Amino acid sequence: MLQSLMSDDHPLTLALLFERAATQFPDNELVSRFPDGSIHRYTYADFARRTRKLANALATLGIEPGDRVATLCWNEHRHLELYFAVPLSGAVVHTLNARLHRDELTYIVNDAADSALFVHSSLLDAFEEIRDRVSVEHVIVIPDDGPTPEGYRDYEELIADEPEQFEPPPLDERQASGMCHTSGTTGRPKGVLYSHRSTTLLALMSCMTDTVGMHERDCMLPVVPMYHANAWGFPYAATYAGAKQVFPGRDLSAESLLGLFADEGVTLTGGVPTVFLDVLRALDERPGEWDLSAMRSLVIGGSAAPPSQIAGFDRHGLHVTHAWGMTEMNPLGSIANLKRAHDGLDEADTLEVRARQGHAQPLIEFRHVAEDGVVQPWDGVALGELQVRGPTIARAYYGVDRADDFVGDGWFRTGDIVTIDEHGSILIADRARDVVKSGGEWISSVALENALMAHPGVVEAAVFAAEDERWGERPLAAVVHAPGSSVEAEELREFIAPQFLRWWLPAEFIPVDSVPKTSTGKFDKVALRERYGRRLIEGGE
Ligand code: AMP
């Protein structure tokens, strides 16, 4: 074989992203909101200087290549410094979900055997609760406004006297740069190890116009927490592009976010549908209050963005880009951008395309497989479990043998049940574990939820399986009413009936104050099933 004469062995590492921001875009701004509401600003030049000092501090602490360094922190600039300093020094940045129950947090810290932990002072109480159950050698507090309590190192003091020069050790592109645990609604959370190479590829991919299209003139505000799958890679992509970045801190209320969007000229943001539901409500209640003319796209994913939400933002001249991904995919998988083939569709059909989860990101392949293992046709009808393959996808979990999830040939079983249309666009019917199987047939809870949430009297609707003597399972809907609305079950049934077969319609519509959510803001159907799952057999209140 004739080998090429290219520098193919030049490693794709986060050093490329970091150096580009530091040298090409030193004056571009990074903005953080602190818990007290005050704003911190600095530039990529300042960020680079402090990140190098932090990398030196890690060496002073004795952190070795391959060590796991945990963060328990909101979205802010020091979290970004850790995002780079840790992997540039050869260690692995392990982001901890600040909203997890302390038992899970304990399990995750011990599973990773973290050597050091950087904790934001506002989360110190949460850490104190698990302190005796984990053995982390160094705990460093990222200070807020007050002094760091006795017994802890202070982040600012830690880096203060370190030199501003830092030469990264030789980095292999395949070595781990980051670690994140899956949200684990069934079973224990599982560790996913991201490599320098996959994170760099993801950042490049996110800068392509046909994907998120991150570029230097963007102002990116990640609503998605930096502990949820690297905030979908946005901070890495934005740094690579040299975009301005705005970190909202702890306050993700509509008021706070809309204020930042307007004041900072945010062009691009991303997060789960729940947060954007509040944003849309605030816009509907107070139209014209915020100047959002700079905003070019709200990337919504993590769970299905209902068509009514996408159309709702359209009313305000704001474009939603629906995307799908998984922690195991580092994490972007698909994006619902319109293709040339969709030109000429009317408004309703266009909305339907935009509300699908979309076509595969570059470097990623899709196929879907029926229960008998047969690969299904892309006809928009056949259901199957989605499998994905590509260089940004995990090929195993950290320290857990779950060979079943990895089929071989690089295919990963996502656990999402989908149809794929002739344009290669996926539509998620359900998580495999959330599927409602009635009389042996699958019912799509996501389709029912989307239809219900299109009713003006409904804020949120979660559909889940309840045991049924005759049919095995029947769907139930937990419905949150809009303020002042008292829409009856019968009206809801009639509202959605034209779109579904009769046996798909929920057996009951249960009014609830709020739908329980997982730590990453998804409908917690395990909790709903625990509470209401035997209602059709035993009767309910
Ligand atoms: P996580 O790893 O916590 O981000 O969860 C990944 C799972 O979230 C996927 O397997 C899907 O079930 C779900 N998910 C992510 N994005 C979407 C989306 N746009 N629509 C529907 N489900 C989604």
Side-chain angles (χ1 to χ4, degrees):
M1 191 201 306
L2 182 63
Q3 290 292 339
S4 84
L5 297 174
M6 310 301 289
S7 304
D8 291 327
D9 51 359
H10 187 77
L12 299 178
T13 69
L14 297 184
L16 291 171
L17 276 57
F18 176 75
E19 292 301 333
R20 186 162 193 264
T23 55
Q24 296 286 336
F25 313 108
D27 300 330
N28 289 1
E29 249 188 331
L30 300 157
V31 180
S32 299
R33 171 170 272 167
F34 287 150
D36 69 357
S38 63
I39 296 285
H40 172 274
R41 287 173 200 281
Y42 72 171
T43 64
Y44 276 112
D46 302 321
F47 155 76
R49 192 172 42 79
R50 284 171 54 90
T51 300
R52 292 189 183 111
K53 285 161 81 78
L54 174 59
N56 287 322
L58 292 171
T60 308
L61 285 177
I63 302 295
E64 307 249 349
D67 282 356
R68 272 76 66 209
V69 174
T71 63
L72 189 56
C73 189
W74 311 112
N75 290 11
E76 62 134 284
H77 62 289
R78 288 162 298 187
H79 210 166
L80 189 73
E81 291 166 6
L82 285 155
Y83 255 45
F84 280 92
V86 176
L88 287 183
S89 64
V92 181
V93 59
H94 179 209
T95 50
L96 302 176
N97 183 334
R99 299 196 194 278
L100 277 186
H101 186 268
R102 56 187 179 279
D103 291 343
E104 275 188 310
L105 215 48
T106 308
Y107 172 82
I108 288 172
V109 172
N110 288 331
D111 184 46
D114 293 317
S115 310
L117 187 144
F118 287 77
V119 50
H120 190 266
S121 59
S122 63
L123 290 163
L124 203 50
D125 287 350
F127 174 70
E128 295 271 0
E129 288 185 35
I130 67 164
R131 191 178 184 171
D132 293 341
R133 292 195 271 156
V134 296
S135 58
V136 180
E137 199 178 337
H138 309 283
V139 181
I140 296 99
V141 173
I142 298 173
D144 196 6
D145 44 2
T148 288
E150 290 274 322
Y152 290 104
R153 300 287 299 267
D154 176 274
Y155 184 96
E156 297 299 336
E157 282 171 21
L158 180 83
I159 66 171
D161 298 328
E162 292 291 342
E164 293 183 5
Q165 263 62 41
F166 171 73
E167 192 51 50
L171 296 169
D172 180 332
E173 64 176 22
R174 289 194 167 77
Q175 85 187 62
S177 60
M179 184 182 209
C180 190
H181 276 73
T182 60
S183 34
T185 30
T186 49
R188 287 291 200 185
K190 300 180 287 291
V192 176
L193 276 176
Y194 301 131
S195 63
H196 278 263
R197 177 182 158 89
S198 75
T199 309
T200 304
L201 287 175
L202 203 281
L204 259 174
M205 188 161 107
S206 303
C207 294
M208 290 176 63
T209 317
D210 278 341
T211 63
V212 179
M214 189 88 71
H215 64 297
E216 192 257 348
R217 280 168 193 269
D218 266 326
C219 174
M220 171 78 216
L221 185 150
V223 181
V224 47
M226 289 170 78
Y227 54 71
H228 184 197
N230 278 348
W232 304 347
F234 289 141
Y236 286 123
T239 304
Y240 200 17
K244 174 176 171 182
Q245 299 186 58
V246 181
F247 297 104
R250 173 185 200 155
D251 184 0
L252 301 183
S253 64
E255 189 88 12
S256 159
L257 293 175
L258 283 160
L260 285 172
F261 292 165
D263 295 349
E264 301 297 334
V266 171
T267 62
L268 191 61
T269 182
V272 293
T274 331
V275 175
F276 284 103
L277 208 64
D278 293 341
V279 171
L280 180 58
R281 194 175 321 134
L283 287 173
D284 283 341
E285 282 166 10
R286 289 141 73 189
E289 179 154 342
W290 297 275
D291 175 4
L292 304 183
S293 51
M295 187 69 86
R296 69 175 178 84
S297 177
L298 318 172
V299 182
I300 303 189
S303 37
S308 51
Q309 182 171 61
I310 299 175
F313 279 113
D314 281 347
R315 279 200 307 276
H316 295 279
L318 295 169
H319 182 85
V320 169
T321 304
H322 191 201
W324 164 89
M326 295 183 77
T327 303
E328 290 87 336
M329 300 179 74
N330 197 2
L332 290 185
S334 70
I335 197 154
N337 287 337
L338 295 172
K339 288 183 176 174
R340 205 184 274 257
H342 300 120
D343 286 355
L345 290 183
D346 67 18
E347 211 176 309
D349 289 344
T350 304
L351 182 61
E352 220 176 290
V353 175
R354 291 175 57 206
R356 302 176 72 88
Q357 280 69 25
H359 56 272
Q361 293 272 352
L363 305 177
I364 289 175
E365 291 174 85
F366 283 167
R367 72 179 185 190
H368 65 320
V369 177
E371 278 176 304
D372 57 9
V374 175
V375 175
Q376 297 298 295
W378 290 14
D379 59 5
V381 178
L383 281 162
E385 184 186 3
L386 180 66
Q387 298 188 355
V388 292
R389 182 161 74 171
T392 55
I393 299 168
R395 69 177 154 75
Y397 290 112
Y398 175 77
V400 202
D401 183 14
R402 291 268 303 215
D404 279 2
D405 295 336
F406 303 91
V407 185
D409 290 350
W411 288 104
F412 168 68
R413 295 178 56 175
T414 63
D416 284 335
I417 306 299
V418 303
T419 56
I420 307 184
D421 72 9
E422 72 269 31
H423 304 295
S425 172
I426 55 170
L427 180 67
I428 296 192
D430 259 308
R431 256 339 252 154
R433 61 170 180 263
D434 292 335
V435 142
V436 186
K437 226 170 182 191
S438 186
E441 300 284 340
W442 276 337
I443 291 176
S444 167
S445 65
V446 178
L448 288 165
E449 287 161 1
N450 283 345
L452 284 168
M453 286 192 272
H455 190 288
V458 174
V459 178
E460 279 183 315
V463 174
F464 56 96
E467 290 172 49
D468 184 88
E469 271 166 12
R470 174 147 187 222
W471 300 106
E473 286 176 354
R474 294 287 304 139
L476 297 188
V479 179
V480 181
H481 289 159
S485 146
S486 57
V487 52
E488 297 287 333
E490 208 36 52
E491 185 183 335
L492 287 177
R493 177 187 302 278
E494 277 168 27
F495 180 71
I496 63 169
Q499 300 171 52
F500 300 101
L501 298 168
R502 267 187 70 80
W503 58 272
W504 273 49
L505 298 178
E508 280 184 41
F509 298 82
I510 307 165
V512 293
D513 292 338
S514 65
V515 175
K517 308 271 172 19
T518 68
S519 62
T520 49
K522 301 171 203 242
F523 291 159
D524 188 345
K525 300 203 180 170
V526 176
L528 284 168
R529 281 199 300 267
E530 266 165 21
R531 171 112 201 249
Y532 302 110
R534 291 185 55 79
R535 191 179 167 96
L536 298 178
I537 293 175
E538 294 168 356
E541 79 280 26

